[in-house]
Each structure stands twice: as structure tokens, then as C-alpha cells.
Amino acid sequence: MSALAELRGVTRTYGEVTALAGIDLDIHDGQVLGLLGPNGAGKTTTLSLVSGLIRPTSGSVRLFGRDPRDAAARQHLGTTPQQTALPETLRVREVIDFVGGHFAERVPTGELAEEFGLADLLKRQTGALSGGQKRRLSVALAFVGRPRLVLLDEPTTGLDIDGRHVLWEAIRRQREAGASIVVTSHYLEEIEQLAERVAVIAGGRVVADDDLATVIGSVGTRWASLQSPEAARIAALPQVAGSRIDGDRVELSLRDADAFVRDLVATGAPFTELQLRSATLEEAFLSIVRGEAA
Amino acid sequence: MTTTTTAPARAAASAVSTAPGLGLVRLGLLHAKYLLLETVRVPMAVIGPIVFPALSFAFFILPQRGLVENPTGAAQAVIQLMVFAVMVNALFSYGLNISQARETPWEPYLRTLPAPAGARILGQMLSVGLIGILALVPLFLMGAFFTAAHADAAGIALGFVALVLSSLPFVFAGIAIGYALPFKAAIAVIQIVMFGLAFAGGLFLPPMMFPDWLDAVSRFLPSREARELVIWAVQGGEVPLLELAGAAVWTVALLVLALVLYRRDEGRRYR
């Protein structure tokens, strides 16, 4: 796997504020990388560096082996404007043609519009689009130049569940067609749906960077919930790492789920509605970020 | 047949990455095209520079038979409205474009596209320049056909050079307004500045019709100074030293103001 973009020892400060404090990050070909972090952790700064909008204070940023501030380095890069950014008086077709005109190899406007559900809106001025339509147009623009690398900063913020699923499908199809993607999101479910690899940025540093499954697994536990009149006794079993009891209902984090189930049955305590599940990315993320803060 | 037609198209497409000079011009034209499209859809941005000067000429100049039939006076009247057109275009184009760009993250997005920074600037110059030319044409034609205005070819050529140079204070004023104010406020302020400078600077009614006190005040305004300088370039006569000095002071002062406001804006954007 070759790196499409590389950040090496990158520090970026804004006056007194340090946004990034020496991060190393490789963006590989053929991956969807989810970039996570609390607000102000440096995600947008990272994307701005890769797209050549800002210079690192120190360290080096390479895009396709070149300086991203060199326009030619960005020929195979796709980015999205924020939805509020679209020029209101231009029509959808004009915006796509304008952006597409920058690329040597571009997707025809009709084809792109079809792909992102904009075919009926081509004559509409962007100021007249709904929030969801603007989002779809913004994301579509990232793909008009047949990019090898696409940066999506909060692609579905403000969309309803339907709109989000439509956009995820479109992004997945683009991924299958060969685009590598970096996505940031407030919705961890979105990252779980789309990403194969996850990097967590907190306090200006990369604090985790691995496969999605490994990052989730790093929390190291499975979770169980059940109903029982003897909740307190069950919560005291040896495999239980933590518990939350609410009347008959108990939620448990477990060291070894299989051993826990054997113990539970052996106690003879009555129980119903036993559910076992893995930790979610959200739980993994919170535990990683808290671990850093501690 | 298809291979012969697609081959040059391919070559043109690959020129984007292989010939930076050609690519810059092509991208500059691309940006100019969509900037113009955006501009023509904000009615004030077109009415201001193109319709106002032509209408003013029809209302203020044409009814004055004495002026219209005097070759020197008529030429001066055409010139003062050309100065007005250039001033309005500079104030509107730069003021509105910049204040609008500051409100949306569209400009930063465009900077992530594979185009050198020069392409955007070239596009802006082309679109502003084209509207400026469109604004001057009707004045030039009305002056030629409906008045006795006369100027020789060398005078006209020098006049256009003077027109471009004396528009600089208005370009910088437009930039300053663009960086100082939000879009809606910018529209209002530009209109006030535009009409104030036009009336008091003798761009609507010739200054010879001013009372003495207004004539005296008027000489300190960039619009009056631009008028006198372009008239001098076209018709010759004594070098208007006072106006030349005044225009230079305005140009430098407004450039400094524009730079200060630009830097303040950068600081704010990256807070």
C-alpha cells in the first residue's frame, strides 16, 4: 500500500493556540479512513493541510508526493465545500461545470447528477435547494474530477436519517469505483458504517490509528444487559468489570463474555432478556479520549 | 472521423497539467465566466455600472443643448460619466465580491481545486474589466452620435490610460468596503459613497454649475480629481498639479486602508 498523503511531525499553531502538536499520519490508497476527535481537536486543520489551504508551522505534508500548495498536486484530490458555501445565484449544473472545468479527466455533469440524485435539480439555483440537496451537491463536487483521494469533512451534518443513508450509499459506490476517502464526522455511526481504518486525534495528537475492529476491540470488553430481580447478585459475578443497575434492569461490561454466561446460569438466579454485544465505536472513542485526558 | 475530432480535445484537456501558462489562461477564463454569471444575477451589480451612467447621461447631459453642442464641453461631459462608470464598477465589483466572499467559505473551497491562485485573480480582473468596458461603450456611442463632442485619437488613447490609473482609488475603496462590512451593509454604503462622490465630484452636473464653496470642497474628492485628470489627458492644457497630488494621496491612503482591513480580516478568519 502506497501513501497518497503523508503528514510527518506536523505542528500547526494559530497565534498562541496549538491545533496540532507533531502528528504523523499516512493516508493509504484503497481505504476509507475515519478521522475522529472532540471539537477543536485538529481534524479540520489536518484536512486543510492536506488540501493545501494552510501551511504547517513545522513538519512536512505531502500529497501524491508533492507539496499540496502546488496546484498540480491537487489534480487527483476531491474536497467538499461546506453547504453554506455554494454560490446562491449559480445553478446546480453551472456549479458542477465550474468545478469540473478544473480537472483534466472529469465525470460528465449528467452522470454525476444521476449518481447523487441531483438529475432533476440541474436547473435550480443553489440558493433554492434544501439542506439535504445542498449536502448532496457539495459531496458530489468532491467526485467530479475522478479523484484518487477525497476529503469529506462532516459530509452528512444536519441531514435526516434517510438523507444520510442515501449519501452513504453514494460514497460507498465511489469507494468501490476506486476512490480513497478520509471522512470526519460527529456521528460515530457514520464512521462505523463507512470507515475501514480509524485515526483518533485528541489534544493535537494522533492517539489511536488502526483498523476499525482493532480500535473498537481496544476497549477490550463486551457488554451485556438483562432483567433480573437479583440484579445486585449478578453484578457481583467475577467476570463483571462494571455495572449499572436500574431496578430490575442491569447493564454490565464484561471481561470474558463466555465465562460470564456460564457463571450466570450456574447461580440459578432468574433472568430474562439477556443481550450480549460488542462495544461500539462511541464507547471505544470515549474511552480512548478519556484515557488521553487522564 | 471521431478519432480526428477527439484527439485535439484530448490534447487540450491534458494541457491543464502539462502547460501551466495555457492552463492559467484557460482557468482564468473559466473563473471569469462564472464570476460574470454570478454578477449578472445580482441586479444592482449590473445596473450600477452599466445602466446608471447611461441613464445619467440621458437625464443630465443630453437636455442641456448648450453643453451638447459645444465640442469641448460635450467631451468633458462624456468623460465625467465615464469616470462615474469606472468608479461605480470598481466600487461594486470589488466591494460586493469581497464582502460576499468573506461571508461564505466558497473562496477557500476554490483554493483546494487544482488551479493556481493567479487563475482566480485573472478571472476577477477579466470579469471586472469586461463589465467596465460594457459600461463605457454606451457612453462612448452616445457621445459620438448625440453630441458635438470631439477628441483626437491620441487624446482618446491617453484618456483611457488616465481612466484606468485614476480608477485605482475606487478599486482600493471597494476592497476596503468589502473587507470592512458585511454584504448587505456593503450594498448600502457603496450606493451612498457612489452618489456622494458622483454629485460632489462633478460627475453628474459639471462643476462649472457648482456654487463656489462646493467647487472648493469638490477639488479634494477623488472623483473630481479623476475627472480633471482624464479631461487633461484627453484635451491637454495646464497640468492639474493639485488634482494629481490629491489623487496620489487618495490612492496611497486607500491602498493602506485596504491592506490594513485585509490583514485584520485574515486574523479574524483564523481565530
Side-chain angles (χ1 to χ4, degrees):
Chain A
M1 284 198 297
S2 63
L4 300 180
E6 295 180 353
L7 290 87
R8 286 278 171 279
V10 170
T11 298
R12 171 72 206 199
T13 56
Y14 297 101
E16 309 261 289
V17 183
T18 301
L20 294 175
I23 71 162
D24 292 298
L25 188 68
D26 282 354
I27 300 167
H28 293 293
D29 200 356
Q31 272 191 336
V32 178
L33 169 65
L35 204 54
L36 294 179
N39 284 338
K43 290 169 297 190
T44 301
T45 300
T46 303
L47 296 189
S48 300
L49 284 161
V50 173
S51 58
L53 274 179
I54 55 173
R55 242 184 262 267
T57 309
S58 67
S60 90
V61 181
R62 307 301 280 175
L63 176 66
F64 302 111
R66 312 171 76 155
D67 182 345
R69 295 183 64 88
D70 174 359
R74 304 192 297 265
Q75 184 61 230
H76 299 289
L77 177 75
T79 61
T80 52
Q82 292 167 28
Q83 73 172 56
T84 53
L86 297 164
E88 293 200 344
T89 54
L90 290 188
R91 301 181 197 287
V92 171
R93 172 187 296 284
E94 292 162 351
V95 173
I96 295 174
D97 285 342
F98 178 31
V99 174
H102 288 80
F103 296 93
E105 236 187 290
R106 58 157 301 193
V107 181
T109 301
E111 194 182 304
L112 189 77
E114 199 66 52
E115 178 71 22
F116 286 88
L118 299 165
D120 298 334
L121 304 170
L122 284 172
K123 289 185 184 153
R124 201 75 76 77
Q125 292 188 334
T126 66
L129 299 179
S130 73
Q133 292 164 339
K134 284 182 186 170
R135 278 280 166 206
R136 291 213 296 279
L137 175 57
S138 295
V139 174
L141 290 178
F143 291 96
V144 69
R146 300 196 192 279
R148 290 177 57 202
L149 175 62
V150 173
L151 310 177
L152 300 176
D153 196 1
E154 308 276 345
T156 63
T157 300
L159 287 191
D160 59 17
I161 293 175
D162 261 3
R164 219 175 288 164
H165 279 273
V166 168
L167 209 46
W168 289 351
E169 275 314 306
I171 292 170
R172 275 199 203 100
R173 281 194 299 272
Q174 295 292 335
R175 165 74 195 85
E176 279 155 24
S180 303
I181 295 167
V182 179
V183 56
T184 74
S185 181
H186 275 118
Y187 303 111
L188 292 169
E189 188 202 350
E190 181 156 290
I191 303 286
E192 265 185 305
Q193 287 283 330
L194 295 173
E196 291 144 346
R197 187 180 138 214
V198 175
V200 181
I201 298 183
R205 293 177 181 282
V206 176
V207 295
D209 179 3
D210 220 320
D211 291 343
L212 180 67
T214 312
V215 169
I216 293 176
S218 70
V219 183
T221 55
R222 293 174 77 84
W223 298 68
S225 65
L226 55 84
Q227 300 237 32
S228 170
E230 296 181 54
R233 192 171 140 218
I234 292 169
L237 285 169
Q239 295 302 331
V240 174
S243 64
R244 195 168 74 210
I245 300 172
D246 180 11
D248 275 3
R249 180 136 205 99
V250 57
E251 279 191 59
L252 307 161
S253 70
L254 307 172
R255 293 187 187 93
D256 179 332
D258 303 318
F260 165 77
V261 173
R262 279 193 288 274
D263 289 351
L264 173 64
V265 174
T267 59
F271 66 89
T272 55
E273 290 186 43
L274 173 64
Q275 289 185 356
L276 286 171
R277 65 178 175 83
S278 303
T280 62
L281 180 59
E282 185 163 354
E283 285 151 353
F285 171 70
L286 289 175
S287 109
I288 290 167
V289 172
R290 278 193 201 121
E292 280 306 306
Chain B
M1 209 44 216
T2 44
T3 49
T4 53
T5 51
T6 55
R10 286 260 172 76
S14 68
V16 175
S17 47
T18 52
L22 195 68
L24 183 68
V25 172
R26 197 190 64 83
L27 288 169
L29 288 169
L30 181 78
H31 280 255
K33 174 181 169 186
Y34 289 98
L35 279 165
L36 281 170
L37 263 179
E38 278 187 75
T39 305
V40 299
R41 292 191 186 144
V42 181
M44 266 315 287
V46 186
I47 292 170
I50 297 178
V51 180
F52 280 174
L55 275 184
S56 312
F57 192 84
F59 286 140
F60 292 112
I61 305 301
L62 288 183
Q64 304 183 55
R65 297 318 302 171
L67 189 62
V68 167
E69 283 156 21
N70 168 352
T72 308
Q76 293 189 354
V78 173
I79 289 168
Q80 73 195 27
L81 280 164
M82 285 188 161
V83 170
F84 175 61
V86 167
M87 174 182 86
V88 173
N89 186 36
L91 287 174
F92 268 101
S93 300
Y94 289 99
L96 296 192
N97 282 350
I98 291 172
S99 67
Q100 194 168 30
R102 285 171 58 239
E103 280 172 36
T104 72
W106 180 242
E107 293 286 327
Y109 166 69
L110 292 179
R111 282 195 282 132
T112 70
L113 296 175
R120 185 71 180 161
I121 296 167
L122 183 62
Q124 246 146 8
M125 283 166 50
L126 287 173
S127 72
V128 174
L130 183 68
I131 291 184
I133 289 167
L134 286 178
L136 294 180
V137 167
L139 293 172
F140 196 86
L141 293 179
M142 283 197 283
F145 290 113
F146 302 139
T147 75
H150 176 79
D152 54 37
I156 291 174
L158 267 180
F160 276 109
V161 174
L163 198 55
V164 170
L165 287 178
S166 62
S167 72
L168 287 177
F170 310 119
V171 170
F172 298 138
I175 293 173
I177 291 171
Y179 280 112
L181 299 171
F183 186 69
K184 285 189 173 129
I187 291 186
V189 168
I190 287 168
Q191 295 189 51
I192 293 166
V193 168
M194 170 184 95
F195 282 114
L197 285 179
F199 267 113
L203 302 186
F204 288 149
L205 296 169
M208 60 192 88
M209 299 169 76
F210 284 178
D212 287 345
W213 67 267
L214 184 56
D215 189 46
V217 171
S218 169
R219 287 180 187 277
F220 293 98
L221 296 177
S223 45
R224 174 70 184 274
E225 288 155 357
R227 177 187 185 274
E228 302 308 323
L229 287 169
V230 180
I231 286 174
W232 167 70
V234 175
Q235 300 186 333
E238 215 175 301
V239 182
L241 283 176
L242 182 69
E243 280 78 6
L244 202 58
V249 170
W250 275 112
T251 305
V252 172
L254 288 165
L255 171 62
V256 170
L257 181 65
L259 286 174
V260 166
L261 289 167
Y262 168 76
R263 293 193 69 117
R264 191 195 69 168
D265 185 61
E266 287 287 287
R268 202 181 264 185
R269 201 175 290 171
Y270 294 116
R271 115 189 101 177

